Amino acid sequence: MRRRSAALLTALLASLAVGAAYPQSSDGSPPGLDRLRQSGEVRGARGPLPGAEVTLLQAGDRPGAGARPLARARSDSRGRFSLSYRAPHSPDAVLYLTADAGRSGYGDDRAARGVRPVRLVAMLGVGRRTGKVVLNERTTVAAGFAMAQFTQGGEVAGRGPGLQNAAAVSHNLADVGDGTVATLLATAPNGDRTSTLRAFNTLADILSGCTAGQTCDALFELAARPGAPAPRETFQAVADIARLPGQHATGLFALADGRNTYRPRLAKAPDAWTLALRYVGNGHELDGPGNVAFDAEGTAWIVNNYTFGADPSRSVCGSRILSRLTPTGADVPGAPYRGGGLYGAGFGAAVDPRGHAWAANFGFQGTGCPLDAGRLYRSVSEFGPDGRPLSPPRGWRRGGILQPQGTLSDRDGNVWVANCGGRSVTRIPDGDARRARNIAPGGDSLVKPFGVTVDTRGRAWVTGNGSDSVTLLSPQGRPLRSITGGGIKRPMGIAADSLGHVYVANGGAVVAPCEGTTPAMVAEAVADIVTRHVDASVTMIRPDGTTPAEPFVNDGLFLPWGIAVDGDDTVWVANFGGHRLANLCGARLSACPPGLRTGDPISPADTGYTSDGLERNTAVQIDPSGNVWLANNWRDVPVQTNPGGHEMVVFVGLAAPVRTPLFGPPRHL
């Protein structure tokens, strides 16, 4: 007993000694045996920030719920602090640190209100963290972008899994352990291969002006979202920039003049302040990623056109794997998955209500592959939530499947497949592939079916790339009507909103590679297009099947291919050219900046959201954290032996989160 008491006394004295090295928590007591400790430093670009009010918070678990303070302290003369706190009961609790600093009085009434305009933030995330944490401008930019859709009034709150996933994604931007750039952002295929690292550092330099007490008013004025109150501190300012990054891009860049603490940095202002990360899984699996579907946890199931090959001049055959990435871009344990008849999947990827993943085996392969694709493009593959193949070795082949492309499950578990080579749609009732049936409207009303979505009434809408049309089917699959006009021209992707509308991406010059058209022909058709094609546009179809007289057009649309609708019903378009992502105002005008109408661009009208991390993109999808994922499907110069790109590109925090899996109309998280 004496030995145990002595040991306990020694441990207590040791903890007291450690506590003496840092300022104590606000309750004045060192951590006991039932408490946890968090230490760290508050730094600005010029060095330590003494006297900062440091708070450890638990994020709210739903929108509008306030964050709960767990402990407080004040940084010492060297910027150091230490906190002790009781661990939250919930294992999913998201913790983060704020440090409020800076002198009041920047030309307004902040001094009278006691507001401190500098708020530095570091996301700790889920679970206990050991080791010190640094709060600086870089960690604040990382937190502001990753948590942009979960931040209001400087506090973080939201539903899982989006909230937890977003906190994890922030660690892809900044290392909170030392305040440096995170490894994923600093190294290939990011790092010096794209401008994202330079943009990230420049944003940190922009913040440093306010940290130094010089540019706060200008920062808050430029960051303010139209129609909303201006931010009162730096963290909310970053989140506001992330949510509308095309606003005042040049003015914000000017705030970094003369500041170059964080290097490398941009040499000129960008079109918009977006942060786009490239994800590659294990580094040798993605080749021609065609589409992505998210499950309930927000993990990404990705179909690939080709077997991975780093050398585009060496011929490859069709991919036989299904990739599955975590929200931070790593392989889920056990992934990628094989079997089930997978071969050369294209645009078809879906997750049904049971968590089963579906891949449409289009039969893509590089020129020179010795296999007969005609034997392999007649199936879909099904996988369980654990990645185990549920379809037979040759895939599910009933229902007239032929060169399948767009694939979607509705909320009842019926799976819809567009047969690009068969002028038909396959409906798989309740996800039972043995009961699959073919639906062929007949004639030339549906040629080269490509994209498919389901609306709020359970009706299916299918694009006909070769017939310049969209076919509407009843929930049971009965053809109801064919929609033409309204600018529908070479339609590719299609997406539904929560108000009953559907939006069509008009590829203009993009001819779907099926029914006699080869990928080489597609490459030839788009090779010399260097400006927006005249027919590149988006058409809105109303619930009654009518369309506006003219489609939506802007220079952010450059060979449109994939299309998605976010949780606020705004529209996102992936482009097969131009290295750009477009965002349009949808039918829910309250979600758009004031003064915009349906179809107006939210992204810069002349460029869209550009990124040199993009190549030729097919799919675009929104995850539960509001990150926008695009598939680098083809290289810019697609050598047909292996034209595939090798990355998913993720724009961090850019869109309103979507509850997944997606069954057609988006549901806000």
Side-chain angles (χ1 to χ4, degrees), residues 214-251:
Q214 297 170 348
T215 59
C216 293
D217 278 344
L219 171 63
F220 299 156
E221 180 180 353
L222 292 170
R225 292 169 57 82
R232 300 169 62 187
E233 39 75 17
T234 50
F235 175 52
Q236 187 63 54
V238 174
D240 286 350
I241 292 169
R243 292 176 63 185
L244 197 60
Q247 177 181 251
H248 303 313
T250 301

Side-chain angles (χ1 to χ4, degrees), residues 287 305-307 311-319 343-344 363-373 513 517-524 634 637-644:
D287 197 318
N305 293 176
Y306 311 103
T307 299
D311 183 354
S313 67
R314 297 188 64 178
S315 182
V316 295
C317 293
S319 173
Y343 189 79
F364 275 109
Q365 56 187 28
T367 56
C369 173
L371 300 179
D372 180 1
T517 300
T518 66
M521 294 176 183
V522 177
E524 183 179 357
W634 269 13
V637 180
V639 180
Q640 289 305 297
T641 45
N642 179 9

Side-chain angles (χ1 to χ4, degrees), residues 33 49 80 115 149 172 205 238 251 302 321 331 386 404 454 571 656:
L33 298 179
L49 293 179
R80 301 178 306 174
V115 174
Q149 302 298 327
N172 281 347
D205 270 342
V238 174
I302 302 164
I321 67 169
D331 272 344
D386 59 356
V454 174
V571 182

Side-chain angles (χ1 to χ4, degrees), residues 58 196 339 522 584 638 648:
Q58 177 180 338
T196 299
V522 177
L584 311 183
M648 297 298 297

Side-chain angles (χ1 to χ4, degrees), residues 1-99:
M1 180 64 72
R2 289 183 178 177
R3 290 181 180 177
R4 181 176 299 178
S5 298
L8 289 174
L9 179 59
T10 300
L12 179 58
L13 290 173
S15 67
L16 287 170
V18 173
Y22 291 94
Q24 291 183 331
S25 299
S26 58
D27 61 7
S29 62
L33 298 179
D34 60 342
R35 298 178 72 86
L36 303 175
R37 174 184 292 280
Q38 182 62 65
S39 62
E41 298 179 29
V42 184
R43 300 179 194 156
R46 294 183 175 180
L49 293 179
E53 298 173 1
V54 181
T55 308
L56 175 66
L57 298 110
Q58 177 180 338
D61 60 3
R62 63 190 183 282
R68 183 167 70 91
L70 301 179
R72 289 188 173 90
R74 188 176 294 274
S75 62
D76 67 10
S77 60
R78 296 164 63 183
R80 301 178 306 174
F81 66 89
S82 181
L83 298 162
S84 69
Y85 66 101
R86 294 182 185 274
H89 295 298
S90 171
D92 296 326
V94 171
L95 304 187
Y96 65 104
L97 286 161
T98 65

Side-chain angles (χ1 to χ4, degrees), residues 316-336:
V316 295
C317 293
S319 173
R320 296 184 184 271
I321 67 169
L322 178 62
S323 297
R324 185 185 181 191
L325 304 186
T326 67
T328 56
D331 272 344
V332 170

Side-chain angles (χ1 to χ4, degrees), residues 551-567:
F552 308 138
V553 174
N554 68 82
D555 285 340
L557 303 175
F558 198 113
L559 303 178
W561 192 298
I563 192 166
V565 178
D566 69 16

Side-chain angles (χ1 to χ4, degrees), residues 119-196:
R119 173 166 289 178
L120 302 180
V121 175
M123 298 303 303
L124 303 185
V126 177
R128 301 180 181 184
R129 181 176 182 85
T130 59
K132 77 171 186 179
V133 171
V134 170
L135 292 83
N136 66 7
E137 290 94 349
R138 273 179 172 149
T139 66
T140 304
V141 172
F145 268 74
M147 310 306 296
Q149 302 298 327
F150 301 94
T151 300
Q152 189 65 39
E155 291 193 353
V156 175
R159 294 190 176 89
L163 179 71
Q164 291 77 10
N165 295 348
V169 169
S170 74
H171 299 159
N172 281 347
L173 297 170
D175 185 337
V176 297
D178 57 12
T180 61
V181 175
T183 300
L184 185 138
L185 174 56
T187 57
N190 298 292
D192 60 5
R193 297 192 181 183
T194 77
S195 60
T196 299

